[in-house]
Amino acid sequence: MPWSPRHRLPGRRWLRRPVAWVRRWPRWLRRVTAALIAVQVVLILAAAGYVWSVDLPGDPTPPQASVLYYRDGKTVLARIGTTDRTDVHLDRVPLGVRQAFLAAEDRGFYDHYGVSVRGLLRAVWSNIVRDSGQGASTITQQYVRNAYLTQERTVSRKAKEAALALKVEDRFSKDEILERYLNTIYFGRGAYGIEAAAQAFFGTSVDHLSAYQGAVLAAMVKDPTRGDPAVDPRWTLNRWKWIVRAMSEAGWLPPGAVDTTPYPAVAPASVTASTIGGPIGLITDRVEDELVTAGISRQQIRTGGLKVTTTLDATVQRAATTSIEKALKGQPDELRSALVAIDPHDGGVRAWYGGDRGRGFYDDALAARPPASTFKPLVLAAAEEHDINYRSYYNGSSPRVFADRGGAPLFNLDNLQCPICPLDTAMVYSLNTPFYALTEQIGPASVRDVAVRLGVPDRYDEQTTMVDLKGELAPGRTRADIAIGRYPVTPADLAGVYSTLANGGERNNRHFVASVAGLYRAKVKPVRSLDRGIAADVGAVLAGVVEHDGRIPGVPAAAKTGSQQYGNTSDSSDAWTAGWASGLAAAVWIGRETAGPIRTRDGKAINGDGMPYAVFRAFLSGALAGEPARALPAAANVGTMGKGDLETLTSGAKAGPGQVFPGPQKGDRVDRSLAKGSWDERVTRLTGVLSKITTGGQDFSVSFVDRKTGRRYDYQGDRPFETASVVKVELLAAQLLQAQDAGRALTAAEKERARKMIVASDNDAAEQIYDAIGGAGGLRPALKRLGLNDTVPAANFGLTTTTADDQTRMVTDLLATGSPLDLASRQQILALMSSVNADQTWGISAASFSGEQVALKNGWLARSTEDNHWIINSTGRISNDKVDVALSVLSHGHHSQPEGIAAVEQIAALTRSYLGW
């Protein structure tokens, strides 16, 4: 049959119709389309030509260490380089380990030709539009980048990377590429290549690794420092889980392996890596972190032979190290210190001391600690923004009760009194009550705002800074406690805050790196954060602190000291000095790795105006030796001078303006002269005195046990009283007994709940624990095991009744080896009782002296069924090397909380006065 249009092949018909359709387009559209097609063809030909023109270099040169210089660009600070590498053949790498890297970095490795087109286009677009340096890379591209290229984030580098990746794919087999890749990765801990990594992290050769251990190593490729389980275990665990899930999805591991397989044990530190020791070691860690943030990979830092000029100054760094080493020489080993010095004019770190253990260890300069009174200058700055001059008068009496402290009175250090107190005087003497009142007046949020503007980050990891945590009085909100430095900040950030003040309120971000030859140069962008006049006023006031605490010869300076009280003791747990001279700001911290009392080798408490201030003075003297003395800016007198909150003064205040004098001291209520005669005679006299108080209308009971002598005393000790919050000790004891019986320790959530219940007296946490132990039915058998037969549980834990005798039995149970509570449980309860907010040291603390530690639990409650009269209870332990007693005072029927506290304290002090323990 002759061919005709009716018999066209179907494909021909399909081809012809679009042509006719295209012809109906406007001429301009057809021309544009043709041009685009032509451009695409040209681009493809150009890309092919570019790939053809790029020569694949020979085998990469051996890695070279990078050199870090001080700011002069000549003096070597340190060398960072690979120190441990042993290449292995791929057949020595177990299949499961290889699959872990494929799952983490390139699941389609065996299916592509070396380049991720999507990732390449995304990277090109990101570099052109946003300069972000974004873009996924195949394993081949990663190998090319590490072996042949720099880490600069440019379109040309990305294009060359793609071209070389295609060349590598053409020259080598997939297995050869994977082998080269695994032998060139930097894993951290000085380990270069997978064999060195296996030794550094697992202490074995690569051929003995499991797939799950391989997933640990694969997790580190993304960030070899953060990926080290010893550095950020949570980040590493999350990435490991992600990789294991991906391996299960690919069929390389059983389904659900991530939920049934424990995370492999990793060596806490490498035994093969050569690290940089001493304070310089931590500096190199910080420099490397900053370079990574700037877009230079750790691989390039360790192998690329970079020349890095830092902001560190050799003279200033030497002064920092020398001043700290001299101060800590011969002191207790548990003492730790940090010092950070910043040039206010550009934000460059001139000196950094975060510890002396070297690279990879804990950096105390980055550990958040309560800054104590070093935050008071921020309160003053916020006040001047509210038109309050630094000479305004505030009530500096001690103690004072403020609305947002849950009834806990606030004391000044050493209970100093300054009833009519100018703010500059309050700063010099570091008085708490005037600045707390000022913060309540202007709003705590305004102080936090100043802190953030001056240099404290808004968050530390996932936690908002400078707010109450869960279980505290105002979760998620800032209370006036910010005035006395209760919210932790790092020494480095505090140094940044003071650097901003020193720079007249203009903030420069802290940085370590000035430049990297050919790759990077730091950009300084000052930000106005505080009025220049306010910064000058703060500086003038802090110059008065230096005049009071001790001048620095030849160096005009401003500074503030601070001491964070440790629990219910006269010791500090953190001691600070922060301040500046012209051209250099610094923060000094002394404390311990975990909270505890800090003392000198002579047993004396370390406070901010002691060792830290001595370090600060010695540091500035050494750092600025030979520099001309430059005066600080004169005060600008911003704001209006007023009378603050003097309306809160009682009518009995007779001191003149600015007069500072000591108030009642710890132990003042105890009259040792009354402890005369035999024990029986003292008991008789005490009972007589307490009986007279009872006749006067007070209703209370007392119980006392001296563990050193075995003597006991009680006054109506078996009378039942409502427990209020003191029963929370028994609730925790009951929960710990249940855990012991089950052969387990408390979970992290249970420990946190216990801390809230005891330290913060959180009732919600107490209700949860009461429910967890089974309510009254669960508490009753625990009380019986503890020998507390007079304590009667109620459906609501707060309605439980107890006796003073039972409360001292509870305390002695925490100290006796024959207690049903094991040693760990007893220590846990006592530690929490010792950590009760230091401002709640009322109650039985009135029977203690300086140098004695009080582990206590207080309780108070206004009962509507008793005409809103107050229940006030206090129980706990008072101890040192000579004293170890349990003391409990229970009372009710008080007309007000202050009246009840005063009555309990009087009774506690009388007990010691007459018994003489």
Side-chain angles (χ1 to χ4, degrees):
M1 180 184 295
W3 180 87
S4 73
R6 293 186 181 184
H7 298 97
R8 292 188 183 105
L9 295 173
R12 300 278 183 119
R13 188 183 306 119
W14 181 86
L15 287 171
R16 189 159 178 165
R17 285 177 181 171
V19 172
W21 179 66
V22 168
R23 285 177 177 172
R24 289 196 294 272
W25 289 1
R27 179 176 297 176
W28 67 267
L29 182 57
R30 281 180 282 162
R31 289 178 176 177
V32 169
T33 302
L36 289 175
I37 293 172
V39 169
Q40 281 186 315
V41 171
V42 170
L43 287 176
I44 291 171
L45 292 174
Y50 176 74
V51 172
W52 182 264
S53 70
V54 174
D55 293 327
L56 182 65
D59 283 343
T61 57
Q64 297 179 7
S66 295
V67 182
L68 276 53
Y69 295 89
Y70 283 101
R71 63 193 294 246
D72 62 7
K74 299 177 181 178
T75 308
V76 175
L77 172 69
R79 286 180 170 84
I80 304 178
T82 58
T83 58
D84 187 15
R85 174 179 177 177
T86 303
D87 289 354
V88 294
H89 292 297
L90 189 64
D91 57 12
R92 283 195 57 198
V93 182
L95 178 60
V97 175
R98 297 181 228 170
Q99 291 168 336
F101 283 86
L102 297 178
E105 299 298 320
D106 189 356
R107 298 176 201 179
F109 172 69
Y110 282 96
D111 300 319
H112 60 60
Y113 293 98
V115 176
S116 167
V117 176
R118 181 183 300 175
L120 177 61
L121 293 176
R122 183 165 64 247
V124 171
W125 177 259
S126 298
N127 276 283
I128 293 174
V129 177
R130 294 189 295 272
D131 189 31
S132 69
Q134 182 182 351
S137 295
T138 66
I139 279 179
T140 310
Q141 288 174 275
Q142 290 183 46
Y143 166 69
V144 164
R145 182 166 64 248
N146 293 333
Y148 303 119
L149 301 174
T150 68
Q151 302 293 320
E152 59 180 338
R153 298 177 298 167
T154 62
V155 173
S156 62
R157 199 276 295 159
K158 197 71 180 177
K160 190 172 184 180
E161 175 188 300
L164 288 174
L166 293 172
K167 291 273 190 172
V168 166
E169 288 274 344
D170 182 60
R171 177 175 296 185
F172 302 111
S173 70
K174 285 289 187 179
D175 282 354
E176 287 175 320
I177 296 171
L178 183 58
E179 177 182 299
R180 286 169 172 259
Y181 170 74
L182 291 175
N183 282 320
T184 56
I185 306 170
Y186 178 67
F187 287 90
R189 296 190 180 183
Y192 185 76
I194 193 165
E195 170 64 17
Q199 296 287 351
F201 289 91
F202 297 106
T204 187
S205 59
V206 65
D207 44 5
H208 290 100
L209 292 179
S210 69
Y212 300 100
Q213 290 173 317
V216 174
L217 298 181
M220 298 176 194
V221 175
K222 188 177 182 66
D223 189 335
T225 294
R226 192 177 186 186
D228 189 332
V231 175
D232 193 339
R234 184 170 64 176
W235 186 93
T236 310
L237 177 62
N238 288 339
R239 184 153 178 82
W240 177 83
K241 288 181 176 179
W242 177 81
I243 293 169
V244 173
R245 287 194 190 97
M247 295 176 73
S248 293
E249 291 168 3
W252 298 333
L253 288 177
V258 70
D259 299 316
T260 58
T261 307
Y263 184 78
V266 177
S270 173
V271 296
T272 62
S274 174
T275 61
I276 302 171
I280 301 300
L282 292 178
I283 292 174
T284 59
D285 283 344
R286 303 291 77 79
V287 169
E288 187 171 322
D289 291 343
E290 191 169 303
L291 290 173
V292 170
T293 301
I296 301 172
S297 76
R298 298 190 191 277
Q299 182 95 9
Q300 177 73 351
I301 297 166
R302 298 303 183 100
T303 65
L306 306 180
K307 179 182 178 181
V308 181
T309 302
T310 71
T311 62
L312 277 291
D313 185 284
T315 299
V316 180
Q317 180 63 37
R318 185 164 51 251
T321 303
T322 301
S323 61
I324 289 179
E325 289 178 348
K326 182 178 179 181
L328 295 182
K329 185 177 181 180
Q331 298 296 344
D333 291 340
E334 67 264 19
L335 288 184
R336 301 196 57 74
S337 185
L339 189 158
V340 176
I342 298 173
D343 188 330
H345 302 120
D346 63 7
V349 176
R350 296 291 184 254
W352 183 279
Y353 186 103
D356 60 1
R357 291 180 287 184
R359 294 209 71 174
F361 281 91
Y362 192 75
D363 192 336
D364 284 307
L366 294 179
R369 322 275 188 174
S373 292
T374 60
F375 244 53
K376 287 171 182 169
L378 280 68
V379 179
L380 182 59
E384 291 207 346
E385 288 188 333
H386 285 75
D387 194 39
I388 299 172
N389 185 264
Y390 68 83
R391 294 173 297 170
S392 298
Y393 292 110
Y394 280 78
N395 177 5
S397 303
S398 175
R400 289 183 61 183
V401 177
F402 295 96
D404 70 345
R405 293 177 55 79
L410 178 64
F411 289 80
N412 291 329
L413 181 65
D414 297 328
N415 206 29
L416 286 177
Q417 308 290 319
C418 183
I420 304 173
C421 205
L423 289 174
D424 55 351
T425 299
M427 186 75 75
V428 168
Y429 287 91
S430 202
L431 304 182
N432 292 329
T433 57
F435 285 101
Y436 204 97
L438 175 59
T439 302
E440 281 200 336
Q441 179 183 345
I442 63 177
S446 65
V447 179
R448 185 184 187 277
D449 176 62
V450 167
V452 171
R453 279 189 275 134
L454 266 57
V456 178
D458 183 66
R459 305 181 73 83
Y460 284 141
D461 294 326
E462 299 177 3
Q463 176 59 52
T464 302
T465 56
M466 298 173 289
V467 297
D468 274 12
L469 302 178
K470 291 181 180 179
E472 296 179 336
L473 291 174
R477 291 195 299 110
T478 304
R479 292 186 298 111
D481 265 18
I482 193 173
I484 53 178
R486 287 289 165 76
Y487 299 118
V489 300
T490 70
D493 290 331
L494 189 66
V497 166
Y498 276 71
S499 175
T500 305
L501 291 171
N503 201 37
E506 200 167 62
R507 175 181 171 184
N508 289 301
N509 287 336
R510 180 181 79 241
H511 63 283
F512 286 88
V513 180
S515 65
V516 181
L519 287 179
Y520 170 79
R521 182 169 295 277
K523 297 177 182 179
V524 178
K525 297 180 180 179
V527 176
R528 172 59 59 187
S529 302
L530 189 70
D531 177 78
R532 184 174 295 277
I534 294 176
D537 281 354
V538 173
V541 172
L542 297 191
V545 175
V546 172
E547 288 288 325
H548 180 268
D549 290 347
R551 294 182 182 180
I552 305 169
V555 181
K560 183 70 190 80
T561 61
S563 307
Q564 177 63 34
Q565 186 175 355
Y566 173 61
N568 297 307
T569 72
S570 55
D571 289 298
S572 297
S573 60
D574 302 271
W576 300 77
T577 295
W580 70 89
S582 182
L584 197 62
V588 178
W589 166 85
I590 291 177
R592 294 168 55 162
E593 194 161 340
T594 56
I598 51 175
R599 299 174 183 168
T600 66
R601 59 178 172 237
D602 300 324
K604 296 180 180 178
I606 297 174
N607 294 316
D609 58 358
M611 188 182 293
Y613 191 69
V615 171
F616 178 79
R617 293 181 67 198
F619 164 69
L620 282 187
S621 293
L624 300 176
E627 297 286 332
R630 287 174 285 184
L632 300 180
N637 285 305
V638 175
T640 304
M641 180 177 170
K643 293 185 178 180
D645 70 340
L646 294 187
E647 70 277 1
T648 62
L649 280 172
T650 62
S651 57
K654 300 178 181 179
Q659 185 177 350
V660 181
F661 55 93
Q665 300 298 300
K666 199 171 184 182
D668 277 358
R669 297 191 183 189
V670 178
D671 184 353
R672 292 182 179 274
S673 67
L674 298 176
K676 298 178 180 178
S678 66
W679 174 257
D680 290 340
E681 290 171 339
R682 283 179 271 164
V683 166
T684 300
R685 286 199 299 274
L686 174 60
T687 301
V689 171
L690 297 181
S691 296
K692 287 182 180 179
I693 296 174
T694 303
T695 303
Q698 292 190 34
D699 193 5
F700 62 90
S701 67
V702 181
S703 181
F704 160 82
V705 175
D706 188 332
R707 295 188 66 251
K708 287 190 175 291
T709 65
R711 289 171 173 166
R712 298 172 179 269
Y713 172 83
D714 76 81
Y715 177 80
Q716 304 186 121
D718 58 353
R719 274 198 55 198
F721 284 80
E722 223 172 278
T723 60
S725 285
V726 296
V727 76
K728 292 172 181 174
V729 176
E730 281 81 6
L731 298 188
L732 179 53
Q735 186 176 43
L736 286 166
L737 284 174
Q738 283 189 355
Q740 285 178 207
D741 293 343
R744 68 176 184 88
L746 295 187
T747 65
E750 288 172 332
K751 287 180 181 178
E752 176 62 16
R753 200 172 295 128
R755 186 195 66 79
K756 294 174 185 176
M757 179 177 71
I758 301 296
V759 177
S761 205
D762 183 84
N763 287 330
D764 290 338
E767 288 177 2
Q768 290 176 318
I769 291 177
Y770 204 35
D771 290 341
I773 65 174
L779 179 59
R780 193 171 290 110
L783 294 171
K784 185 175 182 180
R785 289 172 65 181
L786 293 165
L788 308 185
N789 299 318
D790 298 336
T791 302
V792 181
N796 181 324
F797 73 87
L799 299 178
T800 295
T801 59
T802 190
T803 65
D805 285 345
D806 256 10
Q807 289 306 305
T808 53
R809 290 187 190 105
M810 181 70 252
V811 175
T812 55
D813 266 331
L814 299 177
L815 305 167
T817 55
S819 168
L821 291 162
D822 63 25
L823 178 60
S825 296
R826 300 199 305 270
Q827 289 178 337
Q828 186 172 346
I829 297 175
L830 281 171
L832 290 173
M833 292 174 69
S834 296
S835 300
V836 168
N837 192 312
D839 302 314
Q840 296 186 24
T841 55
W842 53 269
I844 64 166
S845 291
S848 66
F849 288 92
S850 180
E852 295 176 346
Q853 182 168 342
V854 183
L856 57 71
K857 190 74 191 82
N858 294 325
W860 64 88
L861 182 68
R863 181 68 69 205
S864 58
T865 55
E866 298 183 11
D867 297 325
N868 287 320
H869 285 178
W870 284 80
I871 298 167
I872 305 290
N873 298 331
S874 184
T875 184
R877 178 197 188 194
I878 301 173
S879 62
N880 64 7
D881 56 343
K882 297 180 180 178
V883 173
D884 192 354
V885 303
L887 180 64
S888 297
V889 180
L890 308 181
S891 68
H892 69 191
H894 304 287
H895 294 287
S896 68
Q897 186 190 41
E899 174 197 288
I901 290 174
V904 167
E905 291 184 334
Q906 177 195 22
I907 294 162
L910 285 171
T911 302
R912 186 163 192 175
S913 296
Y914 280 93
L915 298 183
W917 40 274

